[in-house]
Amino acid sequence: MESLWQIEETRFDPTQKTIHSQETVFTIGNGYFGTRGSFEEGYPHATPATLLFGVFDSVPIAKEELANTPDWTVIQLFVNGERFRLDTGTILTYQRNLQLQNGVLQRTVHWESPSGMRIHVTTERFASLADEHTGIIRYSVTSDAAQDQQTIEVSLRASINTAQGNYNLMHFETLNQGHDQNIVWLQSETKQTHVQLCQTMTFSTNAPGYQKTLIDSDIAPAIHLTGTLAPGTTLTAEKIVTMYTSRDTDLPLQTTLEHHQRLLEGNTQHTNYEQLLTQNKQAWQQFWEQADILIEGDKQAQIGVRYSIYQLRISASIHDNRYSVAAKGLTGSGYRGHIFHDTEVFMLPFYTYVLPDIARNLLLYRYHLLPAAREKATHNGYEGAQYPWESTLNGEEVTPTSIIHPETGEVVPVLNGFIELHITASIAYAVWEYWRVTGDDAFIKDYGAEILLSTALFWSSRAEKQTELDSYEITNVIGPDEWHEYVHNNAHTNYMARHNIRIALDTLNWLRTTAPERAHALEQQLHLTKQQLAQMHEVQAKLHIPQNSHTGLFEQFEGFFQLRPLDQTQYAGRKDSYQGILGVEEVQHYQIIKQADVLMMMTMMNQDFDQNTRQINWNYYFPITDHDYGSSLTPALHAIIACELGHVEEAHKLLLKGVLVDLENSRGNTPEGIHLACAGAVWQAIVSGFAGLRVTEQGYTTRPVYPQNWQRIAFRFQNKGETVQIDLRRD
Amino acid sequence: MESLWQIEETRFDPTQKTIHSQETVFTIGNGYFGTRGSFEEGYPHATPATLLFGVFDSVPIAKEELANTPDWTVIQLFVNGERFRLDTGTILTYQRNLQLQNGVLQRTVHWESPSGMRIHVTTERFASLADEHTGIIRYSVTSDAAQDQQTIEVSLRASINTAQGNYNLMHFETLNQGHDQNIVWLQSETKQTHVQLCQTMTFSTNAPGYQKTLIDSDIAPAIHLTGTLAPGTTLTAEKIVTMYTSRDTDLPLQTTLEHHQRLLEGNTQHTNYEQLLTQNKQAWQQFWEQADILIEGDKQAQIGVRYSIYQLRISASIHDNRYSVAAKGLTGSGYRGHIFHDTEVFMLPFYTYVLPDIARNLLLYRYHLLPAAREKATHNGYEGAQYPWESTLNGEEVTPTSIIHPETGEVVPVLNGFIELHITASIAYAVWEYWRVTGDDAFIKDYGAEILLSTALFWSSRAEKQTELDSYEITNVIGPDEWHEYVHNNAHTNYMARHNIRIALDTLNWLRTTAPERAHALEQQLHLTKQQLAQMHEVQAKLHIPQNSHTGLFEQFEGFFQLRPLDQTQYAGRKDSYQGILGVEEVQHYQIIKQADVLMMMTMMNQDFDQNTRQINWNYYFPITDHDYGSSLTPALHAIIACELGHVEEAHKLLLKGVLVDLENSRGNTPEGIHLACAGAVWQAIVSGFAGLRVTEQGYTTRPVYPQNWQRIAFRFQNKGETVQIDLRRD
């Protein structure tokens, strides 16, 4: 079954554009850091990156971004003075694969140099899941035995490269550099935010007769191994790099050095490597025991869902609740490492069901952001807490207010940070779902209730009373479908806001019963007067939700049905979104939407709706959604509702669209990082869609549907502290 | 007289902000490249830069910028493993000076290491004026004899640092790297524009017993010298770096290597260094024989004017007419290396009078831009050629259309690229002045006439006929005073536009007489029909210039006199411009101006005005100009008119304000580069102001005025191929 655990590549072409998307695809990581799959030897135009969880620096316009650190992966090989690089000489064989079961990236190349020397090169790298601060590369070079080759001179040069940036913008500068016996160290710092990073490096071989040279340099500290290689023999060397930042410890240099020394203690380096690899494999094995989903009969879906799970794991820290999972995780510079509702709506179900400790961390991140969210609400004239559309560490709104188009130079205003409100309800929703599935009462008591009530207060003050109609409304927002701006009574926003208030009130009642002191303290702290609570009750009871009471059809927002229909057949073969084609202004006049909006709400609030209501809304909204160039969030999410409606083959198509978004770079933007919300939606599509898992107060139910070729769906999940094994087989 | 040729610094403090402005001040260069005065050993937050004449890369918003190249100046020193850096240990003495007479930057430091070792370090660097492709550093370290010091281990590490950018944005990436015997080479390329750069480096010493190690690296290729140093002895090593780009040759690597090998041929390295230094000194001596201005009695003015002349020399290439002199020359990232009217109005007089070959190059640059200028005119619905407000290599308008405020995130529209038109007349004016002074008929025939006629055509079509008034006007412009936008009939613009048309028509007449075939060809090429020429005649005759015919007072633009006066006494002690204080919108309502506008025009067109007219306009405009935080262009330029009016001490104050703008970083923005237009204005203030030089058809006149302490003003200039010696002494 080996091949169901691998992402493979069999061709290298430095001129082809896939080099950048494949760098993203072959990212290794462990939640503490992520390292893109660029090559050890380096190529012009390559975009290597190692991003650390929560390590930001300032940047114009986008405010803050995960700062690309000095590249720890560099190893250059020279044979008889000729440089090993695949854009010269001849590639005889090439193979690269990412082993999902243990996070190891391997490459084997058979190469003939311009002068005719033939060598085999094998590299193997991983970011240890057992030791988050450590990255390891094993590099092997074999002189070809099949020819009449002579003994060759080999020089291997391992270094850390500080000449790195995000889209060429450098963030780190060297403070100091040196070596301590065999360990080379580099101490650097982000230029604006002054986060200190220490990296240590060793590079060693057991092969006899190799000379080791340590090269101190602020810019590219290095270790060179030089010697000779007889035909048919192999040189294997291991590079170990350890990293700590001032976010981890007050003494990052000392801590890193001590950590690295511990790794070396009493071991030859090969034992070292094997030991580190074994520990890493054990950690991954433990993870997969909890997290794997087995799909028998569909290789593409099987590998794809494992790849999605892999990505979700390497992007989230198990030890740090000061930051969350970014839209692109730690895999690229896209969206600058900012946190969106992607985390709570799309990814959090995976963590909640599979890794509840991480889910708790991600919600604690939101808890830590409450002061800033309160400030945002106050600043806008509202009560409670309003979460930013995009956030980093301190919870300030970091959505740019406008961007200058890189090609036309035109100013494009960005409204999301001002009026895309639904994220606040998404966070409350995620808290509630976490509680429902984990039963973590302590979290709710200490943190969750405060989030729920603070956000409910926001909605209660944000809703505007319509005296004549005896109702409340929420005007001038952007819903999940971001192609329509300043809309009134967006069904999604209002429905989720109402839900937010309801679960907050339920939680307060629960708290009054189970922890009356905490309830009292919270009421004091949040000024939850009787009047305030009455207002919350009234708003949730009277908040207008635009839905036809006879048919059950929601109107995405007031007036949506009056917009012009769009004849999509005119745009067959398009390579851009409808917004890109029609323009930001023009698209607003059409019933064409970027992503699931009503249908997303119906997926999230699944239990509220019957099949008829589902079907009529599906019939209306599914055809008018831009499935190809709208949002990557949508296809796999749509699969859930398609499963419920029995459109199994359609659901399967949607799932594969989600699965392949990065593996085939189908939207063209994989170079900027993985589509992590899509990975979360893929997981949800299997579990909530095809397996039909529903967790209720009484336990759980499944209602599997199988695409034609599927034989079996099996996985585990955590429910109130217990592991549940699901194993569903086609009759 | 040694001290009248030096810029000195006697104190080092890495934490103080002057480190960045002093990097600008201590720039060395030769017109091919400029290298900021950062320190060899490097400091966090330092901003080293080496900018090459005309080597650009793309950048968001600002479109193109001079691309900071891999830093060739790095040399680190370790003594007994301790790193020489002035932010640790104790500085016992410190002295740095820039020798203006030969462009050599020297530093001597006596330093005690944290562990108590004492050493003397002396560095000396220059960008050879005799060999534009070569930069040289001599580095000496002496072990202190006065102590009971032991022999110490010394390691000197010279490298080229690719981890460099403009404001942290990296532009170069390595293509390849290697060494050829003792020469280390680095081949890199700009990321977007694909300009290839090759740098070669040698690092050597005559001291016996030192081990040399060449370190290949894509990121920081290096040469290390290691050995021991007995107390009281000195190690001296020389780093030589040679650079060529693909703008210079099709084979930059080969050319650079050959060039470097020639430098080394048949020489020990000390002879090398002395020889290179001697050649450089000879080249500078030749230059100063032509360019020096002697001011006896005023040390500050003497050094300041020499420093201005030094800056003008090191920023202009004598061998390249595809680019011009940027607002900041090659000294910093400010204004991104873009070319403004600064060159033609403020700097070109220096080149025209002193280095006419360079002046000719700068005008040829504008000639090469004619196709793009024609396109800009056509695009805007006009005839002829409209020059861009900012330009780089291809003549496209590169003024950003808007910028996003780095702090507030607000979008600030930038109108200059659309409506600041007067640069087109400035270029025509510069052509005419060049001709007047040099008598270079061939240039006018082959190039200048085409510039003059093409720009005249633009004005002729841009002027709008006012039928009722039987006049022409030019509406909706920005004049030199950029604080007032969309103004009508800006006196400066209209006056210079009229001049442009007049000199174009005069030139055509001259051409018809002296080179009728060329005249005919031009008429054909530019479609100069009789009708067109009649129109040009009519526009120049009837173009409205807002001037009171009784008093001679110009109105800066229509309605300026109706604006509110500003009570400047309210703003005593301010640290910002009036625009900064009042805001971009509000300042437009006031009679407060950024820089000389009417007075600039009157300085340029000096011969047109009598003393009364000068005086009344001076009285009106001088007091309402922001001399401290408006434009740096103004003070020294105002000195000329002040001299003419006999306000000699006021003129002297204005001159010193210009002289000190960078030496004292009086505007706070010297870190971003030198104020080169101000340097040009300083030169003009001495020559046209204090010496009162006027070149006429008949020859030249002087009319010196002397500030109290001045005894003598002496200089040379070129007039129609002959060198004229001026030597003026106070009676």
Side-chain angles (χ1 to χ4, degrees):
Chain A
M1 301 288 278
E2 180 69 4
S3 67
L4 297 176
W5 284 98
Q6 284 197 15
I7 307 297
E8 293 179 358
E9 180 185 73
T10 55
R11 192 160 168 269
F12 172 85
D13 180 355
T15 63
Q16 76 190 6
K17 291 209 167 169
T18 58
I19 192 171
H20 293 138
S21 64
Q22 293 294 81
E23 282 175 355
T24 297
V25 166
F26 286 115
T27 297
I28 57 167
N30 56 25
Y32 180 81
F33 74 94
T35 296
R36 287 167 64 81
S38 52
F39 295 99
E40 288 79 6
E41 63 272 21
Y43 292 93
H45 316 306
T47 54
T50 291
L51 303 176
L52 270 56
F53 194 79
V55 175
F56 278 88
D57 196 29
S58 307
V59 63
I61 299 168
K63 296 172 189 180
E64 280 199 315
E65 66 184 1
L66 287 177
N68 190 8
T69 60
D71 183 11
W72 66 275
T73 66
V74 182
I75 300 176
Q76 290 179 340
L77 165 65
F78 288 76
V79 284
N80 283 352
E82 274 189 295
R83 182 176 184 155
F84 169 66
R85 52 193 295 171
L86 300 176
D87 54 0
T88 64
T90 312
I91 300 171
L92 305 171
T93 66
Y94 173 92
Q95 206 267 345
R96 181 157 66 150
N97 67 74
L98 175 64
Q99 300 173 358
L100 300 172
Q101 76 268 45
N102 52 33
V104 175
L105 178 65
Q106 279 184 330
R107 176 174 57 142
T108 56
V109 182
H110 190 196
W111 179 72
E112 183 176 295
S113 78
S115 81
M117 265 174 303
R118 291 190 173 202
I119 54 169
H120 291 266
V121 172
T122 303
T123 63
E124 191 170 292
R125 69 163 82 155
F126 60 94
S128 176
L129 196 68
D131 174 6
E132 287 184 339
H133 298 275
T134 302
I136 301 108
I137 304 176
R138 182 160 66 179
Y139 198 106
S140 298
V141 51
T142 305
S143 177
D144 220 338
Q147 295 170 283
D148 52 351
Q149 268 192 190
Q150 307 295 310
T151 291
I152 54 177
E153 282 173 30
V154 172
S155 169
L156 271 180
R157 306 173 187 167
S159 60
I160 300 177
N161 175 6
T162 64
Q164 288 303 332
N166 299 46
Y167 303 118
N168 304 326
L169 188 75
M170 288 191 298
H171 286 302
F172 279 89
E173 67 181 340
T174 299
L175 295 180
N176 209 347
Q177 191 278 323
H179 64 272
D180 184 348
Q181 297 182 16
N182 274 327
I183 304 177
V184 165
W185 55 265
L186 176 72
Q187 195 178 15
S188 56
E189 191 177 80
T190 53
K191 297 195 181 216
Q192 309 291 325
T193 55
H194 303 295
V195 178
Q196 203 184 108
L197 166 68
C198 289
Q199 293 167 298
T200 52
M201 162 176 64
T202 49
F203 189 52
S204 39
T205 179
N206 275 345
Y210 276 84
Q211 192 196 332
K212 184 190 288 194
T213 315
L214 270 61
I215 294 161
D216 285 317
S217 162
D218 278 0
I219 307 139
I223 301 174
H224 291 190
L225 293 174
T226 49
T228 56
L229 200 60
T233 62
T234 299
L235 164 68
T236 299
E238 283 102 33
K239 182 179 187 179
I240 301 177
V241 172
T242 298
M243 292 175 266
Y244 277 87
T245 74
S246 52
R247 282 172 54 82
D248 307 319
T249 163
D250 289 339
L251 297 167
L253 180 57
Q254 190 185 322
T255 308
T256 319
L257 279 168
E258 286 170 5
H259 189 120
H260 205 128
Q261 272 147 2
R262 270 199 308 281
L263 293 182
L264 302 180
E265 260 164 30
N267 285 309
T268 64
Q269 44 279 353
H270 270 286
T271 322
N272 258 188
Y273 180 80
E274 295 301 339
Q275 188 178 322
L276 293 169
L277 183 62
T278 304
Q279 289 164 353
N280 172 64
K281 284 184 174 173
Q282 284 167 349
W284 274 103
Q285 195 181 341
Q286 267 185 332
F287 166 72
W288 284 112
E289 275 168 23
Q290 296 302 319
D292 189 28
I293 293 182
L294 191 73
I295 300 172
E296 276 185 23
D298 186 342
K299 185 176 167 182
Q300 211 170 23
Q302 175 65 79
I303 294 175
V305 70
R306 282 182 174 145
Y307 185 63
S308 297
I309 294 169
Y310 167 83
Q311 287 293 349
L312 287 161
R313 177 60 192 93
I314 69 169
S315 299
S317 170
I318 211 151
H319 299 123
D320 191 343
N321 59 39
R322 295 165 296 170
Y323 178 55
S324 184
V325 184
K328 303 287 183 191
L330 305 171
T331 67
S333 289
Y335 296 118
R336 317 272 182 176
H338 293 187
I339 309 300
F340 294 73
H341 81 138
D342 298 36
T343 313
E344 281 74 16
V345 177
F346 292 87
M347 307 175 205
L348 211 88
F350 165 76
Y351 300 112
T352 296
Y353 283 77
V354 177
L355 301 166
D357 288 348
I358 290 183
R360 191 170 188 273
N361 273 351
L362 303 182
L363 294 174
L364 276 173
Y365 164 75
R366 293 298 189 181
Y367 179 78
H368 299 317
L369 262 47
L370 272 176
R374 289 197 178 102
E375 222 167 273
K376 185 174 168 85
T378 306
H379 175 81
N380 291 335
Y382 304 112
E383 293 169 33
Q386 177 186 9
Y387 279 99
W389 178 245
E390 299 181 24
S391 61
T392 51
L393 300 181
N394 67 6
E396 276 176 28
E397 180 63 75
V398 289
T399 312
T401 53
S402 45
I403 53 171
I404 291 181
H405 194 287
E407 281 156 34
T408 65
E410 275 172 37
V411 175
V412 184
V414 178
L415 301 171
N416 311 61
F418 300 110
I419 60 171
E420 189 156 0
L421 306 183
H422 58 90
I423 186 169
T424 293
S426 301
I427 291 163
Y429 169 85
V431 168
W432 184 257
E433 291 297 303
Y434 170 80
W435 191 20
R436 235 171 41 76
V437 175
T438 64
D440 185 352
D441 293 347
F443 173 81
I444 295 301
K445 179 169 151 279
D446 294 339
Y447 310 107
E450 190 175 336
I451 295 177
L452 293 172
L453 287 160
S454 301
T455 49
L457 270 171
F458 166 70
W459 291 116
S460 170
S461 67
R462 177 61 173 78
E464 305 135 54
K465 186 159 193 174
Q466 289 294 91
T467 318
E468 311 95 82
L469 301 170
D470 191 27
S471 73
Y472 286 83
E473 61 175 14
I474 298 176
T475 60
N476 289 311
V477 303
I478 296 176
D481 160 34
E482 294 163 318
W483 289 353
H484 295 90
E485 297 169 333
Y486 288 116
V487 303
H488 304 323
N489 294 314
N490 169 248
H492 179 106
T493 303
N494 291 19
Y495 203 99
M496 298 309 296
R498 185 174 73 182
H499 180 65
N500 189 342
I501 299 175
R502 286 178 178 174
I503 57 182
L505 292 171
D506 288 353
T507 303
L508 182 60
N509 286 337
W510 172 81
L511 210 57
R512 281 171 171 165
T513 315
T514 56
E517 280 180 21
R518 174 66 180 147
H520 184 69
L522 264 186
E523 284 167 16
Q524 295 287 312
Q525 182 201 335
L526 305 179
H527 310 295
L528 289 172
T529 59
K530 275 188 187 168
Q531 220 173 352
Q532 277 284 19
L533 292 168
Q535 171 74 8
M536 282 162 75
H537 272 286
E538 178 163 318
V539 170
Q540 65 81 19
K542 296 183 177 173
L543 189 58
H544 175 57
I545 313 279
Q547 185 184 21
N548 185 309
S549 54
H550 301 295
T551 65
L553 181 67
F554 287 96
E555 186 174 19
Q556 186 176 305
F557 53 79
E558 271 179 25
F560 183 79
F561 292 154
Q562 269 66 62
L563 300 181
R564 299 198 283 273
L566 184 74
D567 177 8
Q568 296 182 57
T569 60
Q570 289 187 336
Y571 300 95
R574 74 198 160 92
K575 292 280 170 214
D576 196 359
S577 73
Y578 287 111
Q579 189 192 46
I581 292 167
L582 296 170
V584 171
E585 290 306 318
E586 186 66 6
V587 76
Q588 314 229 9
H589 300 300
Y590 287 93
Q591 291 193 42
I592 185 78
I593 68 178
K594 180 185 178 189
Q595 68 198 84
D597 191 301
V598 166
L599 294 182
M600 182 157 101
M601 174 267 283
M602 293 184 71
T603 310
M604 292 166 76
M605 302 299 292
N606 184 283
Q607 69 284 0
D608 287 6
F609 305 103
D610 60 25
Q611 284 290 72
N612 282 341
T613 309
R614 256 181 222 123
Q615 187 70 57
I616 193 168
N617 282 284
W618 171 271
N619 289 350
Y620 199 93
Y621 289 105
F622 186 76
I624 62 170
T625 306
D626 187 345
H627 298 281
D628 294 314
Y629 297 98
S631 168
S632 74
L633 308 183
T634 290
L637 198 81
H638 269 153
I640 300 172
I641 210 161
C643 285
E644 289 181 297
L645 292 170
H647 309 319
V648 184
E649 295 310 320
E650 181 73 65
H652 188 229
K653 259 173 58 189
L654 290 164
L655 174 73
L656 292 183
K657 202 173 256 188
V659 154
L660 297 174
V661 62
D662 292 310
L663 294 176
E664 298 194 344
N665 186 20
S666 51
R667 287 164 182 271
N669 59 357
T670 296
E672 295 172 14
I674 216 77
H675 291 80
L676 210 53
C678 182
V682 163
W683 183 91
Q684 289 187 60
I686 311 288
V687 170
S688 307
F690 294 96
L693 178 72
R694 298 287 177 272
V695 172
T696 64
E697 295 228 355
Q698 290 73 42
Y700 69 91
T701 60
T702 56
R703 184 177 164 279
V705 293
Y706 302 93
Q708 223 176 357
N709 49 348
W710 290 27
Q711 301 303 322
R712 184 179 169 203
I713 308 170
F715 58 90
R716 290 197 172 114
F717 74 95
Q718 305 296 313
N719 187 200
K720 301 196 173 166
E722 300 198 359
T723 301
V724 180
Q725 169 80 43
I726 304 288
D727 196 340
L728 306 167
R729 290 161 198 262
R730 187 195 283 272
D731 298 331
Chain B
M1 300 289 279
E2 181 70 4
S3 67
L4 297 177
W5 283 98
Q6 284 197 13
I7 306 297
E8 293 180 358
E9 181 184 73
T10 54
R11 191 160 169 271
F12 172 84
D13 180 353
T15 63
Q16 76 189 4
K17 290 208 167 168
T18 58
I19 192 171
H20 294 136
S21 64
Q22 292 294 80
E23 282 176 355
T24 298
V25 166
F26 286 116
T27 298
I28 57 167
N30 57 24
Y32 179 80
F33 73 94
T35 296
R36 286 169 63 81
S38 52
F39 295 98
E40 287 80 7
E41 62 272 22
Y43 293 93
H45 315 307
T47 54
T50 291
L51 304 176
L52 270 57
F53 194 79
V55 174
F56 279 87
D57 196 29
S58 307
V59 63
I61 298 168
K63 296 172 189 179
E64 280 199 315
E65 65 185 1
L66 286 177
N68 191 7
T69 60
D71 183 10
W72 66 276
T73 66
V74 183
I75 301 176
Q76 290 179 339
L77 165 64
F78 288 76
V79 283
N80 283 351
E82 274 188 295
R83 181 176 185 155
F84 169 65
R85 52 193 295 169
L86 300 176
D87 54 0
T88 63
T90 311
I91 300 171
L92 304 172
T93 66
Y94 173 92
Q95 207 268 344
R96 181 158 66 150
N97 67 73
L98 175 63
Q99 300 173 0
L100 300 172
Q101 77 269 46
N102 51 33
V104 175
L105 178 64
Q106 279 184 329
R107 176 174 57 142
T108 56
V109 181
H110 190 196
W111 179 72
E112 183 175 295
S113 80
S115 81
M117 266 175 303
R118 292 188 174 203
I119 55 170
H120 291 266
V121 172
T122 303
T123 63
E124 191 169 291
R125 69 164 81 156
F126 61 94
S128 176
L129 197 68
D131 173 5
E132 287 185 339
H133 298 275
T134 302
I136 301 109
I137 304 177
R138 182 159 66 179
Y139 198 106
S140 297
V141 50
T142 305
S143 177
D144 220 338
Q147 295 170 279
D148 53 350
Q149 270 194 188
Q150 306 296 310
T151 292
I152 54 176
E153 282 173 28
V154 172
S155 170
L156 270 180
R157 305 171 188 170
S159 61
I160 300 177
N161 176 6
T162 64
Q164 288 303 332
N166 299 44
Y167 303 118
N168 304 326
L169 187 76
M170 289 191 298
H171 285 301
F172 279 90
E173 67 182 341
T174 298
L175 295 180
N176 209 346
Q177 191 278 324
H179 64 271
D180 184 347
Q181 297 182 18
N182 275 328
I183 303 177
V184 165
W185 55 265
L186 175 73
Q187 194 177 16
S188 57
E189 190 177 81
T190 53
K191 297 194 181 218
Q192 309 291 326
T193 54
H194 304 295
V195 178
Q196 203 185 109
L197 166 69
C198 290
Q199 293 167 299
T200 52
M201 163 175 65
T202 48
F203 189 51
S204 39
T205 179
N206 276 345
Y210 276 84
Q211 192 196 331
K212 185 190 287 193
T213 315
L214 269 61
I215 294 160
D216 285 317
S217 161
D218 278 0
I219 308 139
I223 301 175
H224 291 190
L225 292 175
T226 49
T228 56
L229 201 60
T233 62
T234 299
L235 164 67
T236 299
E238 282 103 32
K239 182 179 187 179
I240 301 177
V241 172
T242 299
M243 292 175 266
Y244 277 87
T245 75
S246 53
R247 282 172 54 82
D248 307 318
T249 162
D250 289 340
L251 298 167
L253 179 58
Q254 191 185 322
T255 307
T256 319
L257 278 168
E258 285 171 4
H259 189 119
H260 204 128
Q261 272 148 0
R262 269 200 309 280
L263 293 182
L264 303 181
E265 259 165 30
N267 284 309
T268 65
Q269 44 278 354
H270 270 288
T271 321
N272 257 188
Y273 181 80
E274 295 301 340
Q275 188 178 322
L276 292 169
L277 183 62
T278 303
Q279 289 164 353
N280 172 64
K281 284 184 173 172
Q282 283 167 350
W284 275 103
Q285 195 182 338
Q286 268 187 330
F287 166 72
W288 284 113
E289 274 168 22
Q290 297 302 319
D292 189 28
I293 292 183
L294 192 73
I295 299 172
E296 276 184 24
D298 187 341
K299 184 176 167 184
Q300 212 170 24
Q302 175 64 79
I303 296 175
V305 70
R306 282 182 174 147
Y307 185 63
S308 297
I309 293 168
Y310 167 83
Q311 287 293 349
L312 288 161
R313 177 60 194 91
I314 68 169
S315 299
S317 170
I318 211 151
H319 299 122
D320 191 342
N321 58 39
R322 294 165 297 170
Y323 178 54
S324 184
V325 184
K328 304 286 183 190
L330 305 171
T331 67
S333 289
Y335 295 119
R336 316 273 182 176
H338 293 187
I339 309 299
F340 294 73
H341 80 139
D342 298 36
T343 313
E344 280 75 16
V345 176
F346 292 87
M347 307 175 206
L348 210 88
F350 165 76
Y351 299 112
T352 296
Y353 283 78
V354 177
L355 301 166
D357 288 348
I358 290 184
R360 191 170 188 274
N361 273 351
L362 303 182
L363 295 173
L364 276 173
Y365 164 75
R366 292 299 188 182
Y367 178 78
H368 299 317
L369 262 47
L370 272 176
R374 289 197 178 103
E375 221 167 274
K376 186 175 168 84
T378 306
H379 175 81
N380 291 335
Y382 304 111
E383 293 170 34
Q386 177 185 10
Y387 279 100
W389 177 244
E390 299 181 23
S391 61
T392 52
L393 299 181
N394 67 7
E396 276 175 29
E397 180 63 76
V398 289
T399 311
T401 53
S402 46
I403 54 171
I404 290 181
H405 193 287
E407 281 156 33
T408 65
E410 274 172 39
V411 175
V412 184
V414 178
L415 301 171
N416 311 61
F418 301 109
I419 59 170
E420 189 157 359
L421 306 183
H422 58 91
I423 185 170
T424 294
S426 301
I427 290 163
Y429 169 84
V431 168
W432 184 257
E433 291 298 302
Y434 169 80
W435 190 20
R436 234 170 42 75
V437 175
T438 64
D440 185 352
D441 292 348
F443 173 81
I444 296 300
K445 178 168 152 282
D446 294 340
Y447 310 107
E450 190 174 335
I451 296 176
L452 293 172
L453 286 161
S454 300
T455 49
L457 269 172
F458 166 70
W459 291 117
S460 169
S461 66
R462 176 62 172 79
E464 306 135 55
K465 185 161 192 173
Q466 287 295 91
T467 319
E468 313 96 83
L469 301 171
D470 190 29
S471 75
Y472 285 83
E473 61 176 14
I474 298 176
T475 61
N476 289 310
V477 303
I478 297 176
D481 160 36
E482 293 163 319
W483 289 352
H484 295 88
E485 298 169 333
Y486 289 116
V487 303
H488 304 323
N489 293 314
N490 168 249
H492 179 106
T493 303
N494 290 19
Y495 203 99
M496 298 310 296
R498 184 175 72 182
H499 179 65
N500 189 344
I501 299 175
R502 286 178 177 173
I503 56 182
L505 292 171
D506 287 354
T507 302
L508 183 60
N509 285 338
W510 171 81
L511 209 57
R512 281 171 171 165
T513 316
T514 56
E517 279 179 23
R518 174 67 181 148
H520 184 69
L522 265 185
E523 284 167 16
Q524 294 287 312
Q525 182 200 336
L526 305 179
H527 309 295
L528 288 173
T529 58
K530 274 188 187 167
Q531 219 174 352
Q532 277 285 17
L533 292 169
Q535 171 74 8
M536 282 162 73
H537 272 286
E538 177 162 319
V539 170
Q540 64 82 18
K542 297 183 178 172
L543 189 58
H544 175 57
I545 314 279
Q547 185 184 21
N548 185 310
S549 55
H550 301 295
T551 64
L553 180 66
F554 286 96
E555 186 173 19
Q556 185 176 305
F557 53 80
E558 271 180 26
F560 183 78
F561 292 154
Q562 269 67 60
L563 300 181
R564 299 200 283 272
L566 184 75
D567 175 9
Q568 296 183 56
T569 59
Q570 289 187 337
Y571 300 94
R574 73 199 162 91
K575 292 280 170 213
D576 195 1
S577 73
Y578 287 112
Q579 189 192 46
I581 292 167
L582 296 170
V584 170
E585 290 306 318
E586 187 66 7
V587 76
Q588 315 229 8
H589 301 299
Y590 287 93
Q591 290 193 42
I592 184 78
I593 67 178
K594 181 184 177 189
Q595 68 199 83
D597 191 302
V598 166
L599 293 182
M600 182 157 101
M601 173 266 283
M602 293 184 72
T603 310
M604 291 167 76
M605 302 300 292
N606 184 283
Q607 69 285 0
D608 287 6
F609 305 104
D610 60 26
Q611 284 290 70
N612 281 341
T613 309
R614 257 182 221 122
Q615 186 70 57
I616 193 169
N617 283 284
W618 171 270
N619 288 351
Y620 199 93
Y621 289 105
F622 186 75
I624 62 170
T625 306
D626 187 345
H627 298 281
D628 294 313
Y629 297 99
S631 169
S632 73
L633 308 184
T634 290
L637 198 81
H638 270 154
I640 301 173
I641 209 161
C643 284
E644 288 181 298
L645 292 171
H647 309 320
V648 184
E649 294 311 319
E650 181 73 63
H652 188 228
K653 259 172 59 187
L654 291 164
L655 174 73
L656 292 183
K657 202 173 254 190
V659 153
L660 298 174
V661 62
D662 291 310
L663 294 176
E664 298 193 344
N665 185 20
S666 51
R667 287 165 183 271
N669 59 357
T670 296
E672 294 171 15
I674 216 77
H675 291 80
L676 210 54
C678 181
V682 163
W683 183 90
Q684 290 189 59
I686 311 288
V687 170
S688 306
F690 295 97
L693 178 73
R694 298 287 177 272
V695 172
T696 63
E697 294 229 356
Q698 292 72 42
Y700 69 90
T701 61
T702 56
R703 184 177 165 279
V705 294
Y706 301 92
Q708 222 175 356
N709 48 347
W710 290 27
Q711 301 303 323
R712 182 179 170 206
I713 308 170
F715 59 89
R716 291 196 171 115
F717 74 95
Q718 306 296 314
N719 188 198
K720 302 197 172 164
E722 297 196 2
T723 301
V724 180
Q725 170 80 45
I726 304 288
D727 196 341
L728 306 166
R729 290 161 199 262
R730 187 195 282 272
D731 298 331

